[in-house]
Amino acid sequence: QKEVEQNSGPLSVPEGAIASLNCTYSDRGSQSFFWYRQYSGKSPELIMSIYSNGDKEDGRFTAQLNKASQYVSLLIRDSQPSDSATYLCAVTDTGGFKTIFGAGTRLFVKA
Amino acid sequence: DTAVSQTPKYLVTQMGNDKSIKCEQNLGHDTMYWYKQDSKKFLKIMFSYNNKELIINETVPNRFSPKSPDKAHLNLHINSLELGDSAVYFCASSQGAGSNSPLHFGNGTRLTVT
């Protein structure tokens, strides 16, 4: 079983729609959860971090965490063409020493 | 101003050669990492150093040898390069091992072995 699983996509949404990205993880002791955005040829950049169950909102982005279900999601409201990128879900291991990445979901926002 | 910088940006070399990648961070972080991103874009941790001490060493061939002269620098030396080593190598840093803090990445080094 992969440690962090994401649907590789591509996920295609029209401009202005809500994009929903999902992630599951296997380590029940994980304490920290991150979403990174990676444009083609660029390095990953942090867009959201979440540490406790529930929702966390930052601008057009909302991260959702459900530790009982071992599930993390990212919602992007009012999607823009500039949001087209690969979104990487990342989870720290139980000790917090290692950050493990999913394979990423490619998002395309059509103008 | 660059928080995590690594050099070179591109590295093209032949099989069997030895090469090094350098990384420096000016964020005052205690922990630095090397990640490898393969052609399928999967990011996999290779090594982690906390205050110059090796704390994570994943299943990486011993042709790869990291070295941290101080907590702001982490270099990666690769001996006897193979075709399968072609990938993008990212250096990253975080506040401290076990702190659950996010990673800050360098711009990556694209290594091509021919």
Side-chain angles (χ1 to χ4, degrees), chain B residues 93-113:
Chain B
S93 72
S94 69
Q95 282 187 329
S99 68
N100 291 301
S101 56
L103 302 176
H104 297 255
F105 284 89
N107 288 330
T109 296
R110 182 174 294 276
L111 172 65
T112 303
V113 182

Side-chain angles (χ1 to χ4, degrees), chain A residues 32 36 38 43 92 96 98-99, chain B residues 35 37 56 58 98 100 103 106:
Chain A
S32 303
Y36 290 82
Q38 187 175 24
S43 58
T92 56
K98 186 162 61 171
T99 302
Chain B
Y35 276 82
Q37 189 168 47
I56 293 174
E58 292 291 285
N100 291 301
L103 302 176

Side-chain angles (χ1 to χ4, degrees), chain A residues 31-32 34 36 38 41-46 51 88 92-93 95-103, chain B residues 33 35 37 40-43 45 48 55-56 58 90 97-103 105-107 110:
Chain A
Q31 295 296 320
S32 303
F34 309 100
Y36 290 82
Q38 187 175 24
K42 302 293 185 182
S43 58
E45 56 177 328
L46 179 73
Y51 301 94
L88 302 169
T92 56
D93 65 355
F97 290 91
K98 186 162 61 171
T99 302
I100 302 158
F101 286 80
Chain B
Y33 310 80
Y35 276 82
Q37 189 168 47
K40 294 184 179 178
K41 308 301 182 188
F42 186 58
L43 257 178
I45 190 168
S48 174
I55 58 170
I56 293 174
E58 292 291 285
F90 285 102
S99 68
N100 291 301
S101 56
L103 302 176
F105 284 89
N107 288 330
R110 182 174 294 276

Side-chain angles (χ1 to χ4, degrees), chain A residues 6-94:
Chain A
Q6 297 181 251
N7 187 330
S8 62
L11 173 66
S12 185
V13 300
E15 184 175 0
I18 296 175
S20 178
L21 305 163
N22 304 313
C23 171
T24 57
Y25 60 94
S26 61
D27 185 347
R28 284 201 167 272
S30 295
Q31 295 296 320
S32 303
F33 308 86
F34 309 100
W35 284 97
Y36 290 82
R37 177 176 62 199
Q38 187 175 24
Y39 292 112
S40 182
K42 302 293 185 182
S43 58
E45 56 177 328
L46 179 73
I47 52 172
M48 288 290 285
S49 57
I50 187 165
Y51 301 94
S52 54
N53 281 330
D55 294 1
K56 178 181 177 183
E57 187 175 317
D58 184 0
R60 296 186 296 112
F61 300 97
T62 299
Q64 299 173 315
L65 173 62
N66 183 326
K67 289 186 180 180
S69 302
Q70 295 173 248
Y71 175 87
V72 195
S73 67
L74 179 71
L75 299 177
I76 307 174
R77 289 182 299 281
D78 188 24
S79 294
Q80 301 297 308
S82 59
D83 294 327
S84 299
T86 296
Y87 288 80
L88 302 169
C89 175
V91 177
T92 56
D93 65 355
T94 300

